[in-house]
Amino acid sequence: MRPDGMVAAVAGALVGLVMLPILAVALFVVPVATATIVQLSGCDQGGPGGGSVVVDRQQLGADEMDIARTIVDVVQQRRLPRRAAVLAVATAMVESGLRNLDYGDRDSLGVFQQRPSQGWGTRQQILNPVYATGKFLDALIALPGWDTMVPGQAEQAVQHSGFPDRYAPREPAAAAIVDRFWTGPDNPTPPTPPGGTEAVQAKALCPDQDGSDVPREPGQVDPTKLPPGFTLPDDVRQRAAVGFALGQLGKPYVWGAKGPDAYDCSGLMLASWAAAGVGIPAGTVSQVHAGHSVSSLEQVQPGDLLFIPGALGTAQVPRHVGMYAGHGLIVDAYDSDTGVILESLSAWTLKIVAIRRIAGPSSPSPPPGGSPLR
């Protein structure tokens, strides 16, 4: 080898030695931009969220994807940028695994593990994912430059977690989830009241499966008015849950909605029990395992959840749920043409395939499934 060639080779090797650490650092600090979602179940096991998936080796069930869609829906209703939805979903993945937990570290609760003692809201409010998402977004958009912060920084600024490094690695998976539900531009124009642009709703990946198939009985029960002499149950939690559900009579049915202006059947159950300070899962497929089983209609109590196959479900996978209100009445979000109504228990009797007691007067609130987050 000629001397000048040897010099060039040595110089090239030195450059390589210098560049490799730089490259390694660059690979370490730049997050992966994409994530892969593998669909595990279809609409037969799904809901508005489209069923269970695996994303970056984490399995998320139909209930978790329902909550993810709810988060995206709240962001879209507020006409915030897509980035807000990614940050919110990433935070929820870290804090709760996208579950509506009614336990956590100290008094932490809900999808974002927010603490009533720290001013996030009451227990009853936080256990509704719609409210919890709104509070997270309020804190997020109050941060100057939140949408341009490096991955993980904005989430940590909102959550003040003892584990700040957990958020950034979840952003690619969160972005892939948001992409399934997002509609419209990434940076929508905020409405200008009054008469602003109508808010956009997140996509539902499955057709509406929550509708009831119980024939209506005109004249037997007034669908939106309680009969004379109706009384709420004496137990505090049952009274709160039933009273909330009855307060929604006449409101519209919207597939995937959890209030406050509209509900689907499982969304009404979640919001009603949240009003009693008890957290339950988001979707019908998971609610049928909430609390504990009641063996017969003779033992039914106000606040119990009654499940029927509904228009598109089966006895094994019921897709419609209502709440026993007492006095032989059921309150449920019937379908998109009917909204939230009262029905007679007798009309449901032959179709009921499961009864779940979320909380009874003589027992503490049954814990939701799963193990504590921390």
Side-chain angles (χ1 to χ4, degrees):
M1 181 180 290
R2 294 175 54 189
D4 55 345
M6 184 177 296
V7 171
V10 171
L14 289 174
V15 169
L17 289 173
V18 172
M19 290 299 293
L20 280 174
I22 295 174
L23 180 59
V25 171
L27 289 173
F28 179 77
V29 300
V30 176
V32 178
T34 60
T36 301
I37 291 183
V38 178
Q39 191 79 38
L40 294 183
S41 68
C43 291
D44 58 331
Q45 293 289 328
S52 59
V53 301
V54 171
V55 52
D56 274 5
R57 299 182 298 280
Q58 179 178 358
Q59 183 169 341
L60 298 172
D63 195 62
E64 288 81 10
M65 292 301 286
D66 187 353
I67 287 179
R69 182 194 175 273
T70 296
I71 292 171
V72 176
D73 198 34
V74 174
V75 173
Q76 294 225 260
Q77 291 294 325
R78 293 180 59 162
R79 301 191 68 82
L80 293 172
R82 181 194 288 247
R83 179 69 178 155
V86 172
L87 296 176
V89 171
T91 300
M93 292 177 75
V94 169
E95 296 292 347
S96 68
L98 286 166
R99 293 175 293 164
N100 190 35
L101 301 178
D102 94 4
Y103 58 83
D105 179 44
R106 289 169 284 188
D107 60 336
S108 299
L109 294 165
V111 174
F112 296 94
Q113 289 290 278
Q114 295 156 333
R115 299 180 61 191
S117 64
Q118 300 302 306
W120 286 98
T122 66
R123 177 183 179 89
Q124 291 82 353
Q125 291 171 324
I126 292 170
L127 285 171
N128 189 320
V130 175
Y131 173 90
T133 301
K135 291 298 288 185
F136 175 87
L137 294 173
D138 289 343
L140 176 69
I141 63 177
L143 300 172
W146 65 268
D147 54 337
T148 57
M149 291 180 179
V150 298
Q153 185 178 357
E155 299 98 308
Q156 174 61 13
V158 172
Q159 297 293 110
H160 303 289
S161 172
F163 305 94
D165 297 332
R166 292 182 176 181
Y167 299 114
R170 305 311 297 156
E171 287 195 20
I177 291 170
V178 171
D179 188 55
R180 291 166 67 85
F181 303 120
W182 191 265
T183 55
D186 287 354
N187 296 287
T189 303
T192 304
T197 305
E198 184 178 352
V200 177
Q201 191 171 32
K203 288 185 288 190
L205 298 184
C206 292
D208 186 350
Q209 303 167 46
D210 269 355
S212 178
D213 63 343
V214 175
R216 300 284 303 282
E217 299 176 332
Q220 182 172 346
V221 173
D222 188 325
T224 59
K225 186 177 179 181
L226 291 169
F230 181 92
T231 57
L232 291 170
D234 292 332
D235 178 72
V236 173
R237 289 177 300 180
Q238 291 178 340
R239 174 184 288 264
V242 172
F244 182 93
L246 294 174
Q248 314 314 305
L249 289 173
K251 288 190 176 180
Y253 173 112
V254 174
W255 176 227
K258 298 170 179 61
D261 300 320
Y263 300 88
D264 68 5
C265 70
S266 58
L268 178 62
M269 301 301 103
L270 181 150
S272 298
W273 272 107
V278 180
I280 65 172
T284 309
V285 172
S286 295
Q287 288 178 2
V288 76
H289 303 292
H292 60 266
S293 177
V294 176
S295 60
S296 70
L297 271 177
E298 286 71 28
Q299 298 175 333
V300 72
Q301 295 180 7
D304 287 352
L305 306 189
L306 309 179
F307 295 84
I308 61 175
L312 294 176
T314 65
Q316 293 72 36
V317 186
R319 297 314 305 260
H320 191 75
V321 58
M323 177 181 289
Y324 183 60
H327 299 266
L329 297 173
I330 289 173
V331 55
D332 70 307
Y334 187 91
D335 64 16
S336 57
D337 295 326
T338 309
V340 180
I341 62 169
L342 287 171
E343 298 184 81
S344 68
L345 176 61
S346 61
W348 279 47
T349 300
L350 296 179
K351 293 180 176 288
I352 294 171
V353 296
I355 306 172
R356 304 297 294 191
R357 178 153 303 146
I358 303 304
S362 59
S363 63
S365 170
S371 57
L373 181 66
R374 301 190 181 95

